[in-house]
Amino acid sequence: MAFHQKSPQHSPNQSPQSGSETQGLEAAQAPEAVERACVSPDSSVPGSFNEDPAAGIPSSPESPQSFCSSSFVTTATSSSKSREESTSQEDEGSSSQEVSKDALEERVSSLVDFLLVKYQKKEPITKAEMLTIVSEEYQDHFADILMQASERMEIIYGLDVKEVDPVQPCYAIVIKLGLTYDGMLHGEKGVPKTGILILLLGAIFMKGNRATEEEIWQILNVVKLYPGKKHSIFGDPSCLITKHFVEEEYLKYQQVANSDPARFEFLWGPRTHAETTKMQVLEYLAKVYGSDPRSFTSHYKEAFEEEQERSQGRVATAAIDYPGHF
């Protein structure tokens, strides 16, 4: 599913800023060049990387772009499956009227815009409100429209749309992976930028827990983010990455050891290690690839070992705090 769509009409509750999603991320339009830049999965294990066992990282010659824009490219299989099921139902004589793909794309974009505004205002979302945005004409397609809108919120903005009350359907939007910062600066209009942060965290992990500045920009260039060039949706990516994410301690930016002339690299910062885990990031990547975390063999082993260390650390701490229970 490409993210290229027409600009929808906005509801009175929507802000001009929210319409930025309708411009579409160029990289999220899934051009063939972007998809070719991603690593081809291993033929024996769907969704896995062709890994070099000795190095423990992707062996593709295009490895700087191997993770590339996967987080911004619609590779989630559930969306395709849903559309196929919807088409099948219509072919079998469903009461739902046939609608064009462009019309559904507009409804998805309108719903994303609405969800962004609700997130910015920190307001709960009811199903009734979303049905109003989708409009009565497309209510038979609401489940599919909501699923596609939720995927875009997740992949582009790093946000989860969660149902919190199934009885009187009500939803909340939370930041993914346990992260607590969405990249929105206080007092400034904008959109959440957690999607970019997750993209970078995944890239750093897949590159062996450190990625050079050149590698990071090769990845971001694929999603049309360039150093020193303001993006229509995400603003100045250089400032966002090397200043805000570093100041918030999600990224660590340092000189590559013994580099002359000086070169720089990115690592996970202490706040990232405190709020999320390699396994959570890997599970996110696996979902994007439509695969299983264990398909990323060496990375799964590393993430699993970290999980065990964390668990042992929690047990040791509990034993100290509550010695009589152990």
Side-chain angles (χ1 to χ4, degrees):
M1 175 183 66
F3 283 155
H4 181 66
Q5 60 259 341
K6 299 176 182 178
S7 298
Q9 296 178 348
H10 303 297
S11 73
N13 293 330
Q14 292 174 310
S15 69
Q17 178 62 38
S18 69
S20 61
E21 195 276 339
T22 64
Q23 300 171 29
L25 282 175
E26 293 90 340
Q29 296 169 4
E32 292 182 4
V34 169
E35 297 192 36
R36 285 197 300 269
C38 297
V39 173
S40 300
D42 183 271
S43 58
S44 61
V45 186
S48 69
F49 283 137
N50 293 322
E51 294 183 316
D52 178 353
I57 59 176
S59 60
S60 165
E62 295 179 301
S63 56
Q65 294 100 322
S66 62
F67 176 76
C68 67
S69 60
S70 298
S71 296
F72 288 78
V73 176
T74 51
T75 57
T77 57
S78 57
S79 178
S80 298
K81 181 179 179 182
S82 173
R83 287 195 301 279
E84 290 170 1
E85 291 174 349
S86 176
T87 302
S88 175
Q89 290 173 355
E90 290 177 2
D91 291 343
E92 292 172 3
S94 168
S95 60
S96 301
Q97 68 179 94
E98 292 187 10
V99 295
S100 70
K101 182 178 179 180
D102 285 345
L104 288 178
E105 285 290 306
E106 287 195 8
R107 294 303 95 202
V108 172
S109 285
S110 293
L111 187 54
V112 170
D113 288 342
F114 172 74
L115 292 173
L116 285 173
V117 172
K118 298 293 277 187
Y119 173 77
Q120 291 165 348
K121 293 181 178 180
K122 305 302 178 186
E123 296 177 350
I125 306 136
T126 65
K127 182 177 180 180
E129 289 176 311
M130 290 192 284
L131 286 171
T132 300
I133 297 299
V134 169
S135 78
E136 183 176 353
E137 182 181 357
Y138 301 98
Q139 289 188 9
D140 288 339
H141 302 273
F142 174 73
D144 187 44
I145 292 171
L146 175 59
M147 184 189 65
Q148 292 185 47
S150 298
E151 286 179 351
R152 297 189 191 186
M153 293 290 285
E154 177 181 14
I155 294 171
I156 298 178
Y157 301 108
L159 301 174
D160 249 343
V161 180
K162 291 188 173 185
E163 187 175 37
V164 293
D165 185 353
V167 179
Q168 296 182 340
C170 185
Y171 298 78
I173 301 176
V174 298
I175 305 173
K176 288 198 66 67
L177 305 185
L179 302 174
T180 59
Y181 175 68
D182 58 16
M184 295 176 64
L185 303 179
H186 295 294
E188 292 187 16
K189 292 184 178 180
V191 296
K193 302 171 182 67
T194 321
I196 296 176
L197 176 58
I198 295 173
L199 175 73
L200 297 178
L201 296 179
I204 292 168
F205 177 37
M206 302 309 286
K207 289 295 297 177
N209 298 309
R210 59 183 65 233
T212 66
E213 190 168 19
E214 293 85 356
E215 289 170 339
I216 288 297
W217 282 113
Q218 286 180 43
I219 292 165
L220 293 175
N221 287 173
V222 177
V223 296
K224 306 301 181 183
L225 294 174
Y226 304 99
K229 183 177 180 181
K230 189 172 183 179
H231 190 272
S232 59
I233 298 176
F234 295 109
D236 182 352
S238 298
C239 185
L240 176 66
I241 296 163
T242 61
K243 185 176 187 294
H244 298 306
F245 286 160
V246 171
E247 288 181 348
E248 293 292 333
E249 299 189 329
Y250 281 112
L251 297 178
K252 187 176 180 181
Y253 182 60
Q254 65 184 28
Q255 184 175 339
V256 176
N258 303 318
S259 60
D260 185 16
R263 296 171 59 238
F264 294 85
E265 63 184 359
F266 288 91
L267 295 81
W268 282 20
R271 188 170 174 183
T272 295
H273 286 289
E275 292 183 355
T276 193
T277 66
K278 292 176 181 178
M279 186 62 77
Q280 286 178 288
V281 172
L282 186 60
E283 287 172 347
Y284 174 85
L285 298 183
K287 181 178 179 181
V288 170
Y289 275 95
S291 183
D292 185 281
R294 287 168 291 189
S295 299
F296 302 83
T297 312
S298 63
H299 299 89
Y300 181 81
K301 180 181 178 182
E302 180 181 344
F304 182 75
E305 289 174 351
E306 182 195 65
E307 292 288 299
Q308 287 186 313
E309 291 173 1
R310 284 174 176 255
S311 178
Q312 292 169 0
R314 287 192 292 267
V315 171
T317 300
I320 294 172
D321 293 339
Y322 306 99
H325 295 271
F326 292 85

